[in-house]
Amino acid sequence: MNPPTSTYLYGAHVHANGIRQHYLRYGGERAGRDAVIVIPGITSPAATWGFVAERLGRQFDTYVLDVRGRGLTSSGPDLDYGLDAQAADVIALAQALGLTRYALVGHSMGGRIAVRAASRAPQGLTRQVIVDPPVSGPGRRAYPANLAWYVDSIRQATHGMSAEDMRAFCPTWTDEQRALRAQWLHTCFEPAIVQSFEDFGRDDIHANLPAVTVPLLLMTAERGGVVGDDDVAEWQTLAPQTQHVRVPDAGHMIPWDNEAGFHAALGDFLGAKVA
């Protein structure tokens, strides 16, 4: 059997919410199906989600966003890297792309961005998938990660690092995954990453959940301790429409640890199963 052809179409930029936003597009228009916007996590430029988007593109018109301060989207010391600005970026991106119906798939920080965006009830948003989001915030337990892990790896990538160098930070990843992260990590603007990490403890997305009215799938990892059973129960109390699935054999970076499990957890929630 021949391997499936790539669904990658192109990378492009739009001016939206006052900045240059870069995205990668996969799949193209799919009649009768909502488009999908993928919002990566704190140090994951769009290119590092390509292996997920390739499969999503078989069924959906898929856009992977470089969040401000990452990848090829606007960066630098003069930008606002707060959650409100990031959420406004996503809404403006969908409008600039002319998407009349779309779903959000947000991982980690991207999940928090998606929740904040959805709480504003943007026109065209139909559903969202929130993947292992930090449930930290004022008066809540801290996000179980160390800021130095991000900062040290960014500084090394800025200097220049190999896939083998990246092994110290991502020991369970494949050589291909480590090489891609080593290639793109230098595009993460350190002050943006520091603010996003610190905002995990300053912003409480739980306050936004009652305003989220679209169907919601909460996907969590079996390992890593980011989202516990009590967190899921609270989430479903605040947003009763929430469906929950926990992915086995996976830590916080779910698709990297168990790609098949990630797509199985999506099921047909987005409107069709991904082959």
Side-chain angles (χ1 to χ4, degrees):
M1 175 182 293
N2 293 326
T5 58
S6 174
T7 64
Y8 173 72
L9 296 177
Y10 55 82
H13 298 83
V14 295
H15 186 79
N17 196 32
I19 66 169
R20 182 191 71 253
Q21 296 195 47
H22 175 257
Y23 65 91
L24 303 176
R25 188 181 184 188
Y26 294 78
E29 292 186 13
R30 298 285 189 262
R33 293 180 184 166
D34 300 344
V36 173
I37 299 176
V38 177
I39 313 170
I42 187 170
T43 54
S44 296
T48 64
W49 273 78
F51 72 106
V52 176
E54 282 279 8
R55 288 187 63 177
L56 290 174
R58 298 177 195 172
Q59 299 289 350
F60 307 103
D61 189 12
T62 303
Y63 302 81
V64 189
L65 173 64
D66 271 331
V67 177
R68 58 171 60 201
R70 289 88 172 163
L72 301 181
T73 287
S74 290
S75 187
D78 297 328
L79 287 186
D80 176 1
Y81 295 104
L83 188 58
D84 284 336
Q86 293 168 333
D89 286 347
V90 173
I91 296 170
L93 175 74
Q95 293 173 341
L97 295 174
L99 303 180
T100 57
R101 292 179 58 87
Y102 64 94
L104 297 178
V105 176
H107 172 246
S108 191
M109 178 194 75
R112 291 168 66 90
I113 294 171
V115 168
R116 182 64 56 88
S119 72
R120 299 175 179 177
Q123 185 175 2
L125 178 63
T126 59
R127 68 198 84 188
Q128 59 179 180
V129 179
I130 310 300
V131 183
D132 220 43
V135 290
S136 47
R140 296 177 177 273
R141 75 176 190 277
Y143 176 53
N146 190 330
L147 178 59
W149 185 90
Y150 299 101
V151 171
D152 291 349
S153 59
I154 290 169
R155 290 179 181 177
Q156 189 168 345
T158 301
H159 179 76
M161 72 189 306
S162 66
E164 186 57 32
D165 295 330
M166 185 60 72
R167 188 185 298 275
F169 298 95
C170 306
T172 65
W173 290 17
T174 67
D175 287 342
E176 183 180 8
Q177 290 168 345
R178 285 194 294 267
L180 192 61
R181 184 169 176 81
Q183 178 187 358
W184 282 93
L185 188 59
H186 77 95
T187 68
C188 293
F189 183 53
E190 184 179 320
I193 276 55
V194 171
Q195 179 174 345
S196 291
F197 186 90
E198 293 178 346
D199 282 350
F200 289 167
R202 292 189 290 236
D203 284 313
D204 189 357
I205 59 169
H206 296 79
N208 298 123
L209 287 173
V212 177
T213 59
V214 297
L216 193 158
L217 174 64
L218 177 63
M219 183 190 304
T220 62
E222 182 179 60
R223 303 191 305 270
V226 175
V227 185
D229 291 341
D230 290 346
D231 300 314
V232 173
E234 180 183 13
W235 194 289
Q236 291 179 318
T237 297
L238 294 169
Q241 78 277 26
T242 300
Q243 303 175 41
H244 173 245
V245 59
R246 199 173 289 283
V247 180
D249 301 319
H252 181 58
M253 303 298 284
I254 294 176
W256 283 258
D257 292 339
N258 185 353
E259 184 182 358
F262 173 83
H263 290 289
L266 283 178
D268 61 0
F269 180 81
L270 293 173
K273 289 186 177 182
V274 177

